[in-house]
């Protein structure tokens, strides 16, 4: 009798949308971020009987950013949903960001019925063509019995290295068609680890043994592949300094002697000088989309060892002497066992000491508007080792990259592949859903904050408490910085702002305004104690931007001469 009931249950007809939701459950989906529309009502109906929580957002871009950051923090594809036409176009920027940053994401869009696709139709766009350049795979569902294959393929593509976005376009008529039998999710299979060729391991070990000034350049793939422990052990055992990209902050704890700085700001910073002085770069999990090799190896003269899960990119400035392709942690373990180094990297340690000495001078700075160096110094005092800071994109991102030290990977989230303004506030919602017990701080410019401010309502509705710290300068500060560096003047970058405290209160959040720099730490502590999102408005002195450019230019020649 039980077998008969099971058989009847398996053969019970369901529609395409219902099977798709079952497939999403099978993929381990916890949340879908999005906005319902007429063409995805069958999906919404199926979600009402699902364990998946549908989170309504106030703009599709916010939904895509939430899925983006969810994917980056968990390694499992975040899912976002929109209707056809303008709903689908609104998703595109967030989907492109996930694809550019290497974050797993699956975007699902509604679509007109297949009977309307051959003629001019209201709100119809060829979405597979539109999503093709911003995703790893895009597929239109044209048969109900293929939905289980299409969903499994989408997640396989999205989550496999290098992760990115996948897109499913579901026409409204197909979503309601029944599947009489055989409609069940496909088995989810974990990928097997692949290991590097031993001859390449030995060649890499020999190159490291011969080098006098090797430097590790760690990138985002090292974070995704959980190489934190392996890189730290490798660097500390072999006494090799580690420079990281913006998206690999925390890949070695900031307390380590061999943790250097972040590379990637437009100017030639201390980290660039360490790389330029090296005679061998060990690129571990490095992705050229984060920071072009033309900026740190313009003439291709520095020898490179590539350690990653995928072969090296083709680039005339990134021609590798050895490629070690396979599981990163195992590769480092095997290389380490085959080589020795006993000399301290004094060239890097002395540069780090100069950098640290400079930053210590801002700890007691009392000027206001606050210097970005002082703001980030105080932020670090409040944030715990496992708490999460999300940086929006703007001038503040450059300061965060330089100055915000991390103890663990994924505790400072920076978009530096596609580098999209407006990501931090919706991203903070995703971060708080994933890590409800940790402090979450979104650091934003006043420009980026206003791009997705509507998602404060989403956060309040979800009863999430996180803090948004606004670097307030009434300008698109990073563009102004670049204008001043290149032209000595600026234009078309200034604007006015609302009263951010009153805006916060109107959104049922807590609002604060910093009047003197001494108030920042107690205000942050008070803000984190609230049960609703808190907004802190802090005027920032961005005259420090151009001062930094001039300072780095002045010291560049001095440092290189010393090496």
């Amino acid at each position: 009798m039980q077998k008969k009931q099971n058989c009847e249950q398996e053969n019970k007809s369901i529609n395409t949308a219902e099977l798709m939701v079952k497939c999403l459950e099978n993929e381990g989906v916890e949340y879908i971020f999005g906005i319902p529309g007429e063409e995805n009502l069958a999906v919404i109906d199926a979600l009402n009987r699902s364990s998946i929580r549908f989170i309504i957002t106030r703009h599709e871009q916010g939904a895509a950013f939430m899925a983006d950051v969810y994917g980056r923090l968990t390694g499992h594809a975040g899912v976002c949903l929109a209707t056809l036409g303008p709903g689908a176009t609104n998703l595109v920027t967030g989907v492109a960001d996930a694809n550019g940053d290497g974050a797993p994401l699956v975007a699902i869009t509604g679509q007109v019925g297949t009977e309307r696709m051959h003629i001019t139709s209201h709100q119809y766009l060829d979405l597979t063509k539109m999503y093709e350049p911003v995703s790893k795979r895009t597929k239109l569902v044209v048969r109900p019995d293929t939905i289980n294959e299409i969903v499994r393929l989408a997640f396989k593509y999205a989550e496999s290295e290098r992760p990115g976005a996948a897109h499913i376009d579901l026409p409204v008529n197909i979503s309601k068609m029944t599947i009489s039998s055989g409609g069940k999710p496909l088995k989810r299979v974990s990928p097997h680890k692949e290991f590097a060729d031993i001859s390449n391991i030995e060649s890499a070990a020999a190159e490291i043994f011969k080098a006098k000034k090797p430097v590790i350049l760690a990138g985002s793939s090292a974070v995704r592949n959980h190489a934190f422990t392996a890189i730290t052990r490798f660097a500390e055992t072999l006494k090799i300094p580690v420079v990281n990209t913006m998206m690999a902050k925390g890949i070695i704890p900031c307390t380590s002697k061999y943790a250097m700085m972040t590379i990637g700001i437009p100017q030639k910073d201390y980290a660039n000088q360490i790389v330029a002085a090296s005679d061998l770069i060990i690129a571990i999990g490095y992705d050229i989309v984060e920071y072009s090799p033309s900026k740190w190896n313009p003439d291709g003269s520095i020898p490179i060892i590539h350690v990653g899960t995928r072969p090296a990119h083709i680039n005339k400035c990134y021609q590798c002497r050895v490629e070690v392709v396979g599981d990163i942690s195992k590769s480092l373990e095997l290389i380490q066992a085959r080589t020795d180094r006993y000399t301290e990297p004094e060239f890097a340690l002395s540069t780090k000491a100069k950098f640290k000495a400079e930053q210590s001078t801002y700890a007691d700075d009392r000027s206001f508007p606050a210097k970005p160096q002082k703001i980030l110094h105080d932020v670090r005092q409040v944030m715990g080792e496992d708490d999460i800071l999300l940086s929006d994109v703007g001038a503040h991102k450059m300061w965060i990259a330089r100055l915000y030290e991390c103890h663990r990977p994924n505790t400072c989230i920076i978009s530096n592949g596609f580098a999209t303004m407006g990501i931090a506030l919706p991203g903070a919602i995703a971060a708080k859903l994933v890590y409800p017990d940790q402090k979450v701080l979104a650091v934003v410019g006043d420009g980026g904050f206003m791009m997705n401010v509507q998602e404060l309502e989403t956060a309040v509705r979800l009863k999430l408490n996180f803090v948004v710290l606004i670097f307030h300068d009434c300008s698109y500060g990073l563009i102004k910085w670049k204008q001043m560096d290149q032209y000595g003047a600026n234009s078309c970058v200034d604007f006015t702002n609302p009263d951010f405290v009153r805006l916060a209160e109107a959104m049922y959040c807590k609002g604060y305004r910093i009047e003197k720099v001494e108030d920042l730490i107690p205000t942050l502590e008070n803000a984190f104690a609230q049960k609703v999102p808190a907004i802190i408005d802090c005027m920032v002195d961005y005259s420090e931007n151009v001062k930094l450019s001039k300072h780095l230019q002045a010291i560049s020649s001095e440092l290189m001469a010393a090496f």
Side-chain angles (χ1 to χ4, degrees):
M1 179 64 73
Q2 184 66 43
K3 288 182 179 179
K4 183 178 180 180
Q5 288 177 342
N6 291 341
C7 184
E8 289 175 353
Q9 187 69 26
E10 286 182 7
N11 291 327
K12 181 183 176 182
S13 63
I14 60 175
N15 66 33
T16 309
E18 290 170 325
L19 179 55
M20 183 176 75
V21 169
K22 288 183 180 295
C23 292
L24 295 174
E25 290 173 341
N26 185 61
E27 297 292 342
V29 175
E30 296 180 284
Y31 306 103
I32 295 178
F33 306 95
I35 297 178
E38 184 178 352
E39 283 69 20
N40 57 30
L41 290 180
V43 178
I44 298 298
D45 179 67
L47 285 170
N48 288 332
R49 298 179 294 280
S50 168
S51 60
I52 299 170
R53 184 179 180 186
F54 184 72
I55 293 179
I56 302 169
T57 63
R58 300 309 300 269
H59 193 285
E60 291 89 352
Q61 185 182 107
F65 281 144
M66 291 174 204
D68 177 355
V69 172
Y70 177 93
R72 186 159 165 193
L73 287 173
T74 65
H76 302 295
V79 181
C80 54
L81 173 73
T83 190
L84 80 174
T89 59
N90 282 345
L91 275 183
V92 166
T93 297
V95 172
D97 187 85
N99 205 53
D101 284 0
L105 176 148
V106 172
I108 302 169
T109 54
Q111 183 57 281
V112 302
T114 54
E115 77 282 358
R116 289 171 49 195
M117 289 183 180
H118 66 292
I119 58 175
T120 302
S121 296
H122 178 65
Q123 292 190 318
Y124 172 65
L125 289 172
D126 188 334
L127 296 180
T128 55
K129 284 187 178 178
M130 189 174 76
Y131 276 83
E132 194 171 278
V134 298
S135 65
K136 294 176 69 177
R137 180 185 176 87
T138 174
K139 190 62 66 174
L140 173 69
V141 183
V142 294
R143 288 171 49 117
D145 59 355
T146 62
I147 190 65
N148 50 1
E149 294 172 321
I150 289 172
V151 171
R152 179 79 280 274
L153 280 166
F155 278 82
K156 182 177 180 179
Y157 273 78
E159 294 177 349
S160 61
E161 192 68 25
R162 177 182 184 263
H167 170 240
I168 299 171
D169 195 23
L170 181 60
V172 60
N173 63 328
I174 302 293
S175 71
K176 297 176 181 178
M177 289 181 182
T178 58
I179 304 170
S180 59
S181 63
K184 60 182 181 179
L186 300 187
K187 183 180 179 182
R188 180 182 171 91
V189 179
S190 299
H192 295 291
K193 287 185 178 180
E194 297 180 0
F195 299 100
D197 185 275
I198 198 67
S199 63
N200 291 345
I201 293 283
E202 291 174 346
S203 295
E207 293 292 335
I208 293 169
F209 182 78
K210 291 186 293 184
K212 292 184 170 60
K213 294 181 178 180
V215 171
I216 292 168
L217 175 57
S220 57
S221 180
V223 174
R224 290 194 300 267
N225 287 281
H226 311 291
F228 168 78
T229 301
I231 287 179
T232 302
R233 184 186 301 117
F234 185 85
E236 294 186 342
T237 301
L238 299 178
K239 305 181 188 301
I240 302 176
V242 180
V243 169
N244 58 266
T245 63
M246 290 189 191
M247 293 173 63
K249 288 180 74 67
I251 193 62
I252 181 172
C254 58
T255 52
S256 172
K257 177 179 181 179
Y258 303 101
M260 296 295 125
M261 308 83 155
T262 298
I263 198 167
I265 73 168
Q267 297 76 16
K268 299 295 184 184
D269 208 342
Y270 286 94
N272 296 78
Q273 312 307 330
I274 292 173
V275 168
S278 70
D279 61 357
L280 178 68
I281 291 294
I282 308 164
I284 304 176
Y286 169 71
D287 187 340
I288 65 173
V289 75
E290 293 185 69
Y291 189 60
S292 172
S294 65
K295 295 181 179 179
W296 55 267
N297 193 23
D299 59 1
S301 62
I302 306 175
I304 299 167
I305 293 174
H306 173 85
V307 182
T309 59
R310 300 168 72 227
H313 296 275
I314 302 300
N315 188 291
K316 63 184 178 182
C317 300
Y318 192 75
Q319 299 186 56
C320 303
R321 187 165 289 182
V322 183
E323 290 191 37
V324 180
V325 181
D327 179 76
I328 292 174
S329 294
K330 189 63 178 179
S331 294
L332 294 177
E333 176 190 330
L334 293 173
I335 294 170
Q336 181 185 318
R338 288 164 169 77
T339 192
D340 288 303
R341 293 192 59 82
Y342 304 102
T343 306
E344 292 288 353
E346 296 299 341
F347 75 105
L349 296 176
S350 62
T351 304
K352 178 181 178 179
K354 291 177 183 178
F355 175 75
K356 289 284 191 180
E358 278 185 14
Q359 304 321 310
S360 66
T361 63
Y362 295 98
D364 298 320
D365 190 282
R366 294 292 180 263
S367 59
F368 195 82
K371 290 182 173 62
Q373 300 96 317
K374 173 60 175 173
I375 296 174
L376 293 171
H377 173 273
D378 287 1
V379 164
R380 184 67 273 185
Q381 308 312 303
V382 175
M383 299 290 281
E385 292 186 5
D386 294 316
D387 294 334
I388 298 171
L389 182 150
L390 297 98
S391 173
D392 212 84
V393 174
H396 62 281
K397 169 181 152 181
M398 303 304 146
W399 290 104
I400 289 168
R402 290 194 84 232
L403 304 180
Y404 189 77
E405 296 186 326
C406 297
H407 299 265
R408 311 268 191 281
N410 274 342
T411 56
C412 181
I413 302 298
I414 298 176
S415 171
N416 202 46
F418 204 60
T420 312
M421 292 179 71
I423 189 174
L425 198 164
I429 292 173
K432 197 64 181 178
L433 288 170
V434 175
Y435 295 109
D437 298 325
Q438 291 168 217
K439 293 191 189 82
V440 173
L441 175 66
V443 180
V444 302
D446 43 10
F449 174 67
M450 293 297 290
M451 290 184 179
N452 274 311
V453 66
Q454 75 283 345
E455 299 307 338
L456 284 174
E457 187 280 327
T458 306
V460 171
R461 179 171 15 99
L462 296 175
K463 296 181 171 57
L464 301 177
N465 61 323
F466 56 84
V467 177
V468 180
L469 175 60
I470 303 171
F471 279 43
H472 188 163
D473 72 323
C474 295
S475 179
Y476 291 116
L478 181 57
I479 303 306
K480 179 181 282 188
W481 186 354
K482 292 187 176 186
Q483 285 179 331
M484 294 302 295
D485 280 356
Q486 294 179 39
Y487 302 105
N490 66 84
S491 62
C492 307
V493 289
D494 295 330
F495 47 74
T496 60
N497 282 313
D499 184 321
F500 289 128
V501 173
R502 290 185 179 182
L503 177 61
E505 292 168 349
M507 302 284 279
Y508 303 102
C509 300
K510 182 72 173 176
Y512 303 85
R513 181 173 292 109
I514 301 299
E515 303 286 357
K516 57 183 188 295
V517 75
E518 293 88 344
D519 292 341
L520 183 55
I521 286 179
T523 300
L524 281 164
E525 291 172 340
N526 187 277
F528 278 118
Q530 301 301 313
K531 295 183 178 180
V532 295
I535 313 302
I536 301 174
D537 178 10
C538 183
M539 297 299 296
V540 61
D541 177 9
Y542 269 158
S543 67
E544 291 296 307
N545 295 346
V546 174
K547 291 178 184 177
L548 177 63
S549 295
K550 292 178 178 178
H551 172 64
L552 292 178
Q553 188 175 11
I555 66 169
S556 179
S557 299
E558 173 191 335
L559 285 170
M560 291 311 297
F563 296 149

